[in-house]
Amino acid sequence: MPSVSGFLPVLFLSLLGLGSAAAQKSSPAKQPAAYSVAGKKAQVYTTARGTSQRLAPGPALAFAPAEQPLETQVCIFIDPGKTFQTLLGIGGALTDASAETFARLPKARQQEFLKAYFSPTDGIGYSLGRTHIASCDFSSASYTYVAENDKALQSFSVQHDEQYRIPFIKQAIAAAGGELTLYASPWTPPGWMKTNGELLHGGELLPQYRQAWAEHYVKFIKAYEQRGIPIWGLSVQNEAMANQKWESCLYTAEQERDFIKGFLGPTLAKSGLGGKKVIAWDHNRDQMYQRASTILDDPEAAKYVWGIGYHWYETWTGSPMLFANERRVQEAYPTTNLIFTEGCQEKFDFAKIDDWSLGEKYGYSMVNDFNAGTVGWTDWNILLDETGGPNHVGNFCFAPVIGDTRTGKLLYTNAYYYIGHFSKFIRPGAKRIISSSTRDWLQTTAFRNPDGSVAVVVLNTSDTEQPFQLRLQGQAVSTTSAPHSIATYVIN
């Protein structure tokens, strides 16, 4: 497990000269209509179990003409001529827990952390962020922005966030080059607005407070923007079907639909915030089609909805990740965006921060989510401490980077590198293209970046080394996928 003190991991030093789209900011320029692999090479970057390779650059492989492959030859076929969704961004959640852990680190480690996540050249180039409206489980304590029974919201204030979270987010934006696509999600309305009278344990929004609650989103957005933090969008409610021991609030699909069309959407529009992107559902893949269809089949609700957000925790039932449900939504509502809004490995154990399965879970989800049409992918806490917190209800979890406040060091789990194989090399504005594998143990996705370069991700979760050919337009390179590895091939 690499622990870093005083300098960035060696891998970043080796990437300083990277001149491809992998190391550049996104560009609004249109991609060229035609693509030719002639004269191009594939630069490979690898992270592999049982080795020191972490986003490690390998040789540049030259394409050469290739005949029809045999069925016995393992291949991954790339077709840049077939394009699909456009990438919004990849990133993580900037929570109270992350901000408080960050504040407890030495200044040098803080700067290392910001560069490691947000620099597209020296880090993994995060371009997307999520934060929460008032408290969530990953806060040190529960809190609200308004006084008890203040129906007019005259007492509204985000002063609580000014100690840790707002300065943290502003530093992240600066580290990302001044732009970070950020959206916000509420875990609960104030308790007095709910049927159970408290912030925790579910409950529902009382009908008489729907307008006040809609105005609460507006006040949050304007308060953050007044402090120099642009809010790109918002989700209606985090995990709207989960009655949790922490901050939570329940909406049926019909209740969420009616709140969007009758209150939230019109209130945003009347407040001059009609351009903010509204994300519905924001819960697991299992019920996402039912939620999406209930809302999107109503034109008055659908006109306010930019996308359907989802999490990966449906596995609590014993089910595998239900990627097919993403495809059902994309097939039925092709003009509505899909966005992964949260995922993490639960039940933190410091002894397991080196566990290879942490990263493989991310790689497996990201490949399949992007292939299902997802435009944005947001990890949960971007940073947690050596306890997997702070968390005021003991719901301790893993983060890709652990800030050990006992030693002042940053500990990079392999999940950080697995995410980096996507976020560093696939930039905002990239379009997904065809990447087709002839073996199910080699999973793959591919994108064409705004500068025309192609990034192909190959995931091997098997115990076996696998030679294969990367082929496009009648040309190929021969390469090998290490067991339990992830590799990105940048064709430029």
Side-chain angles (χ1 to χ4, degrees):
M1 155 95 245
S3 65
V4 183
S5 178
F7 54 89
L8 286 177
V10 173
L11 72 96
F12 295 135
L13 299 179
S14 66
L15 295 178
L16 288 176
L18 182 62
S20 71
Q24 298 172 4
K25 296 178 183 178
S26 61
S27 166
K30 292 183 179 180
Q31 299 182 40
Y35 181 88
S36 173
V37 74
K40 291 183 169 61
K41 294 183 178 181
Q43 173 68 61
V44 61
Y45 301 87
T46 303
T47 296
R49 190 178 74 175
T51 74
S52 62
Q53 292 179 300
R54 300 293 182 269
L55 282 167
L61 308 173
F63 282 88
E67 297 179 351
Q68 168 68 42
L70 302 174
E71 289 184 302
T72 53
Q73 292 178 283
V74 179
C75 298
I76 290 178
F77 300 104
I78 310 302
D79 186 354
K82 305 295 189 298
T83 60
F84 303 93
Q85 78 271 21
T86 300
L87 184 75
L88 171 69
I90 299 170
L94 303 156
T95 60
D96 283 336
S98 296
E100 291 168 27
T101 301
F102 178 84
R104 294 170 65 192
L105 294 172
K107 292 295 184 184
R109 299 291 75 73
Q110 291 180 353
Q111 293 307 306
E112 175 191 323
F113 168 87
L114 293 168
K115 184 179 291 186
Y117 264 122
F118 294 101
S119 171
T121 51
D122 301 341
I124 60 173
Y126 268 17
S127 55
L128 182 64
R130 183 191 190 206
T131 196
H132 47 96
I133 299 174
S135 63
C136 69
D137 49 327
F138 279 91
S139 302
S140 293
S142 298
Y143 61 90
T144 67
Y145 296 139
V146 294
E148 192 77 9
N149 296 318
D150 177 11
K151 302 175 182 61
L153 308 181
Q154 292 180 338
S155 60
F156 186 94
S157 171
V158 296
Q159 182 178 358
H160 171 279
D161 301 354
E162 292 177 343
Q163 183 177 7
Y164 295 116
R165 184 149 51 109
I166 287 173
F168 178 55
I169 294 174
K170 292 178 75 171
Q171 289 184 70
I173 293 171
E179 293 184 9
L180 183 67
T181 300
L182 183 70
Y183 62 99
S185 306
W187 263 238
T188 182
W192 51 269
M193 289 189 183
K194 296 167 61 183
T195 55
N196 66 348
E198 60 170 314
L199 297 174
L200 318 181
H201 307 114
E204 297 178 359
L205 177 64
L206 289 164
Q208 63 265 35
Y209 293 125
R210 289 180 294 184
Q211 183 57 45
W213 182 229
E215 292 169 0
H216 189 282
Y217 296 80
V218 170
K219 286 187 174 292
F220 173 84
I221 292 170
K222 290 186 174 181
Y224 262 55
E225 294 195 335
Q226 287 168 0
R227 287 160 177 80
I229 300 176
I231 301 296
W232 167 85
L234 64 154
S235 70
V236 180
Q237 168 64 43
N238 177 72
E239 298 187 347
M241 288 300 296
N243 184 341
Q244 306 282 27
K245 63 182 179 180
W246 53 83
E247 288 84 344
S248 45
C249 183
L250 305 178
Y251 289 78
T252 66
E254 291 78 13
Q255 287 170 334
E256 185 176 6
R257 175 199 64 199
D258 294 347
F259 177 64
I260 291 170
K261 73 176 181 179
F263 300 91
L264 181 59
T267 300
L268 290 169
K270 291 176 184 176
S271 302
L273 300 177
K276 303 302 180 184
K277 311 303 184 185
V278 175
I279 300 166
W281 186 222
D282 199 4
H283 202 171
N284 297 330
R285 298 183 186 95
D286 49 6
Q287 291 191 25
M288 65 185 295
Y289 184 82
Q290 184 260 348
R291 183 69 53 139
S293 60
T294 301
I295 294 171
L296 298 176
D297 285 347
D298 186 319
E300 291 305 306
K303 69 183 182 181
Y304 295 115
V305 176
W306 172 86
I308 301 297
Y310 64 93
H311 301 179
W312 72 15
Y313 307 113
E314 69 270 16
T315 54
W316 74 269
T317 64
S319 167
M321 294 183 182
L322 298 172
F323 304 114
N325 288 346
E326 301 173 45
R327 291 187 172 90
R328 299 297 86 81
V329 174
Q330 200 278 330
E331 290 164 353
Y333 306 97
T335 61
T336 300
N337 298 283
L338 299 180
I339 180 169
F340 182 91
T341 48
E342 184 184 321
C344 74
Q345 183 64 48
E346 300 165 284
K347 299 180 181 179
F348 180 80
D349 181 348
F350 189 83
K352 295 182 178 179
I353 59 175
D354 235 357
D355 194 324
W356 204 254
S357 66
L358 294 176
E360 286 195 337
K361 183 173 185 177
Y362 279 88
Y364 175 69
S365 183
M366 295 179 80
V367 164
N368 286 280
D369 291 333
F370 286 129
N371 286 343
T374 290
V375 304
W377 211 95
T378 328
D379 183 33
W380 188 209
N381 298 279
I382 197 170
L383 176 71
L384 291 173
D385 68 16
E386 68 278 1
T387 71
N391 185 292
H392 70 87
V393 289
N395 180 34
F396 301 118
C397 296
F398 289 86
V401 178
I402 300 297
D404 191 335
T405 61
R406 301 166 300 184
T407 64
K409 294 181 179 180
L410 293 174
L411 307 176
Y412 295 81
T413 76
N414 67 309
Y416 166 83
Y417 299 104
Y418 268 74
I419 298 170
H421 274 275
F422 300 85
S423 61
K424 184 174 184 68
F425 303 109
I426 305 169
R427 303 303 298 157
K431 285 189 175 292
R432 185 172 65 86
I433 61 174
I434 291 291
S435 185
S436 175
S437 175
T438 62
R439 301 292 189 272
D440 67 354
W441 54 84
L442 288 187
Q443 298 186 55
T444 179
T445 193
F447 283 76
R448 190 177 180 192
N449 281 302
D451 72 347
S453 66
V454 168
V456 183
V457 179
V458 178
L459 176 71
N460 183 349
T461 59
S462 79
D463 297 328
T464 305
E465 180 179 84
Q466 180 62 69
F468 70 96
Q469 288 188 338
L470 188 66
R471 301 177 64 107
L472 66 159
Q473 297 179 336
Q475 299 202 40
V477 297
S478 295
T479 184
T480 299
S481 175
H484 294 285
S485 71
I486 186 170
T488 304
Y489 295 82
V490 180
I491 304 171
N492 208 359

